[in-house]
Amino acid sequence: MRRFRRFLVIPVLFALALTAACGTEHHGDVVRIGVNDLSQPHWDVFKRKAAAAGITVEFTNFTDYNQPNPALSQGRIDLNKFQHIRYLANYNARNNDTLVPIGATEVYPLGLYSKKHRSVSEIPQGGEITLSNNPANQVRPLLNLAAAGLIVLKNGGSWDSKLEDVDKSASKVRLTTIDPTLTAASLDSVDAAYVDDTWARQAGLTNDQIIYTDDPNRPDLKQYINIFAARAADKDNPKYVQLTQIYHDPEVEAAIKAEAGFQGIFKTNTAADLQATATDLETKFRQ
């Protein structure tokens, strides 16, 4: 699910105001894209490439993961790019919505960061690890921690595992869930944290501070491919589809790779493949 620094104090209302402003002044020939990393230079390259293709792009930057999907559903933006397939499927299931992935961007390794330890073996008994308080972003860290020998999951663990499945008495560490935008800042006081790529890069975290990770190319991690999302009625909109292709223009990809801390692997799965994965997950989440 890429996209602030140490103390996040920017009110969500500011992001909403920006979005609302875009909605009021919207012209039909402008494509409004919601992102959560607008400070990254590659968006300037993307916008220039889109303009060269005859597409005018406007961005709305969100400071809260809970805002871009409702803004898209309500028509205040036309596309968003901030989440992976699993996050979108979970959102749709919880909100009875029908947003769809229309283009792949990248997949990222899941990094367990630490400023205190150089390996998971150094984390003491009873050590504290922070992770996202969003259930859609918890199962992968849980399976990761189980593989690292830091927690024990009841029944061995599966993609259905939840926080309550952690066997606390048998686990080496204790888990604290916090807003994902604050996980990077938490590293000053905890033993380790799972930090989303966006916040890790903006906080200046480096690969040297990753003490455990997974292989993002594993087939079962396709659900974590990051995507452009659209409303179901717009999934075949040629202009929107073209924008997802422009994201993979060599100049845009080069600009993304040049950004500090980038660890992603570009993906170009078809929209049909992404949508099939999302549908399967939604079906499971709705049960």
Side-chain angles (χ1 to χ4, degrees), residues 110 112 120 139-153 156-157 194 211-215 218:
L110 180 66
L112 178 62
V120 292
V139 65
R140 189 178 177 191
L142 292 177
L143 295 179
N144 207 245
L145 289 168
L150 293 174
I151 64 169
V152 174
L153 290 169
Y194 281 105
I211 60 173
Y212 196 80
T213 189
D214 56 14
D215 177 7
R218 276 174 23 206

Side-chain angles (χ1 to χ4, degrees), residues 257-273:
K257 288 178 183 176
E259 291 167 358
F262 177 73
Q263 304 172 58
I265 299 168
F266 290 107
K267 292 292 182 181
T268 56
N269 300 55
T270 66
D273 183 36

Side-chain angles (χ1 to χ4, degrees), residues 85 107 216 218-225 269 273-274 277:
I85 301 172
V107 65
R218 276 174 23 206
D220 60 328
L221 293 183
K222 182 167 71 170
Q223 59 190 301
Y224 288 99
I225 292 175
N269 300 55
D273 183 36
L274 302 172
T277 301

Side-chain angles (χ1 to χ4, degrees), residues 106-144:
E106 313 91 0
V107 65
Y108 293 87
L110 180 66
L112 178 62
Y113 289 83
S114 179
K115 290 184 176 180
K116 298 181 179 181
H117 310 295
R118 292 169 297 176
S119 68
V120 292
S121 62
E122 293 184 6
I123 297 178
Q125 184 72 32
E128 183 180 11
I129 293 176
T130 53
L131 66 157
S132 171
N133 59 7
N134 189 306
N137 286 335
Q138 290 176 350
V139 65
R140 189 178 177 191
L142 292 177
L143 295 179
N144 207 245

